[in-house]
Amino acid sequence: MVLNELGARINGALQALSKEPVIDEKAVDALLREICGALLESDVNVQLVQKMRQNVKSRINMDELASSTNKRKVIQTAVFEELCSLVDPGVQPWTPQKGKQNVVMFVGLQGSGKTTSCTKLATYYKRKGMKVGLVCADTFRAGAFDQLKQNAARAHIPYYGSYSETDPVQIALDGVAQFKKNKFDLIIVDTSGRHKQEAELFEEMEQIAKATKPNNTIFVMDGTIGQAADAQARAFKESVDIGSIIITKMDGHAKGGGAISAVAATGSPIEFIGTGEHIHDLDKFSARPFISKLLGMGDISGLVDAVQDMHMSGKNKDMMENLAKGVFTLKDMRDQLQNIMSMGPLSKIMGMMPGMSPEMMQGFDADESTRRLRSYMCVFDSMTETELNGDGAVFSNER
């Protein structure tokens, strides 16, 4: 059960309550039974589920509800608040400041998606207007520098690494020094993947931290491990000063909800969640918007941020002047399609819109829609300036 399916089941239970002719103790129990069953299937810890059930029941006073004009709303609000509490660690993660030189070190187990997450985070803050650089201090895994180099080149982000230097501490020092000299706002250091029992790699991680003095250490965790994330997060927290956590692979596994709730239970701040393989598939995590999107209520704040990241105020000046004159050219249409594509996958944008429930999203083929948009862009790129600045009438005349 992936997150969309979990949201669909919880949504279905809430909709079933809306159809009940009488809202009584029996109807509330049926609702909670369905929601708790969905959470357990998503590998949420049974004790956390039991606690959530008790909290919802304590929020709902059936005697007071008897005189309430909107019982369904009261119950739905109680469920929403407790679901938020379930995934909310109650701690705010550290965030880099533009204009300052921020150093971030990535740590995590092998195969957790750490190197890919480095590029995703760099792209995220690049869209915020920051000058970002990547440093590959992973000399343990063969091909680690090649992977980071390819990802960084694709995202147009400066990077630093070495094929000859074998000391990861020296590479990290040199890379951070070079980017600081060039006045970069954010420097991301990727370290070797490690296992809990590998004492040497833990020592290497501590040496890099001591040498580069990072402002924040981000632990990248595989979301497919479910509630086992609890023990992993606690173990790393005891070994190194973890500032925030990124949970990856949340797009296609049954245990995603279990991982989030388990990490939240440790009190570790979750900063981002990885929701796919594309470079834009990294979502800022906040409990209320996350649950809101899960239940198909949208995420207006996330949608506003996505639009602001496009910096459209200067770009759209010509188009606004054209629209004021009643003119909309093919060039304006191309620019708007480019703006849409720069916001990331269409499925992600649609998920932020209120009313787009998980059931509605199931039949939507985001990859096919993106392919169609790209084919339109190829058509626009083949046009001359005269054709682009026209309204398409020239093509009608050719017929």
Side-chain angles (χ1 to χ4, degrees):
M1 181 190 293
V2 295
L3 286 178
N4 273 354
E5 292 172 4
L6 172 62
R9 281 208 38 195
I10 296 174
N11 231 356
L14 291 169
Q15 285 174 5
L17 179 75
S18 300
K19 295 172 185 175
E20 286 287 341
V22 179
I23 306 295
D24 54 10
E25 195 83 33
K26 187 179 176 183
V28 173
D29 286 339
L31 168 73
L32 291 176
R33 195 182 307 116
E34 179 64 22
I35 291 173
C36 291
L39 291 171
L40 289 171
E41 284 185 38
S42 192
D43 203 38
V44 178
N45 185 281
V46 66
Q47 292 178 335
L48 293 176
V49 173
Q50 193 174 13
K51 184 182 177 184
M52 190 213 77
R53 181 190 175 92
Q54 290 170 352
N55 289 347
V56 172
K57 292 278 279 186
S58 64
R59 276 175 175 264
I60 302 168
N61 188 320
M62 293 307 295
D63 295 331
E64 290 180 8
L65 277 182
S67 58
S68 174
T69 55
N70 201 340
K71 298 177 185 179
R72 292 175 182 83
K73 185 68 176 173
V74 173
I75 295 169
Q76 286 170 355
T77 302
V79 170
F80 179 82
E81 293 296 336
E82 286 306 319
L83 285 171
C84 290
S85 299
L86 186 68
V87 298
D88 188 4
V91 185
Q92 288 299 317
W94 175 89
T95 52
Q97 300 296 316
K98 189 177 179 181
K100 294 182 179 179
Q101 294 190 321
N102 308 274
V103 179
V104 173
M105 185 173 81
F106 268 61
V107 299
L109 299 183
Q110 288 172 332
S112 61
K114 181 170 47 61
T115 302
T116 305
S117 296
C118 285
T119 313
K120 287 182 178 181
L121 188 74
T123 305
Y124 176 87
Y125 283 112
K126 182 186 174 185
R127 292 203 308 269
K128 300 285 183 189
M130 288 190 180
K131 197 176 178 185
V132 188
L134 287 166
V135 179
C136 180
D138 183 354
T139 57
F140 183 77
R141 178 170 65 90
F145 180 39
D146 286 329
Q147 183 189 353
L148 184 135
K149 186 172 159 184
Q150 288 170 9
N151 290 346
R154 197 179 301 124
H156 306 290
I157 292 167
Y159 59 88
Y160 180 89
S162 175
Y163 287 113
S164 55
E165 179 63 66
T166 56
D167 183 6
V169 180
Q170 190 60 48
I171 293 173
L173 262 176
D174 293 344
V176 170
Q178 180 174 307
F179 285 128
K180 279 188 173 180
K181 183 182 176 182
N182 293 320
K183 297 190 172 12
F184 275 64
D185 297 312
L186 179 61
I187 304 157
I188 299 171
V189 181
D190 182 25
T191 64
S192 304
R194 60 207 75 247
H195 295 295
K196 222 164 43 169
Q197 65 271 24
E198 289 178 326
E200 289 180 13
L201 287 172
F202 263 100
E203 188 180 333
E204 175 195 299
M205 181 174 67
E206 289 165 2
Q207 287 174 356
I208 293 174
K210 189 176 179 181
T212 59
K213 296 179 175 60
N215 302 94
N216 185 33
T217 301
I218 295 178
F219 175 41
V220 181
M221 180 183 291
D222 188 339
T224 63
I225 63 175
Q227 59 181 286
D230 184 307
Q232 200 180 104
R234 292 182 196 275
F236 265 82
K237 211 174 179 185
E238 288 167 8
S239 304
V240 69
D241 183 21
I242 299 294
S244 50
I245 289 175
I246 292 177
I247 303 181
T248 61
K249 306 178 187 178
M250 293 293 292
D251 54 320
H253 204 277
K255 297 185 177 182
I260 292 178
S261 59
V263 173
T266 68
S268 302
I270 303 170
E271 188 171 5
F272 292 93
I273 56 173
T275 55
E277 296 178 358
H278 297 293
I279 208 159
H280 292 290
D281 292 335
L282 189 73
D283 294 347
K284 187 83 175 170
F285 182 82
S286 184
R288 297 186 77 84
F290 174 76
I291 295 297
S292 184
K293 278 174 68 178
L294 190 70
L295 299 181
M297 299 177 190
D299 176 15
I300 294 299
S301 60
L303 190 59
V304 170
D305 284 344
V307 173
Q308 286 177 344
D309 289 347
M310 291 160 60
H311 308 291
M312 291 170 60
S313 55
K315 295 179 185 175
N316 283 359
K317 189 176 178 183
D318 291 340
M319 192 194 77
M320 295 309 292
E321 288 177 359
N322 285 343
L323 287 176
K325 299 172 188 174
V327 176
F328 185 75
T329 66
L330 292 174
K331 187 176 182 180
D332 294 330
M333 184 178 178
R334 183 196 65 182
D335 293 344
Q336 289 309 299
L337 289 179
Q338 278 181 334
N339 287 336
I340 291 169
M341 291 178 71
S342 69
M343 291 173 75
L346 289 177
S347 55
K348 179 180 174 181
I349 302 303
M350 289 179 71
M352 294 179 184
M353 296 179 183
M356 292 301 295
S357 65
E359 296 97 322
M360 293 173 68
M361 293 293 291
Q362 280 175 0
F364 177 69
D365 189 345
D367 291 335
E368 177 60 28
S369 300
T370 303
R371 276 194 294 272
R372 286 188 182 183
L373 284 178
R374 283 181 181 153
S375 68
Y376 296 155
M377 296 307 298
C378 288
V379 173
F380 286 129
D381 289 341
S382 69
M383 293 181 187
T384 64
E385 280 297 313
T386 305
E387 290 169 340
L388 282 173
N389 289 319
D391 58 1
V394 63
F395 298 111
S396 301
N397 296 335
E398 284 178 2
R399 287 180 191 172

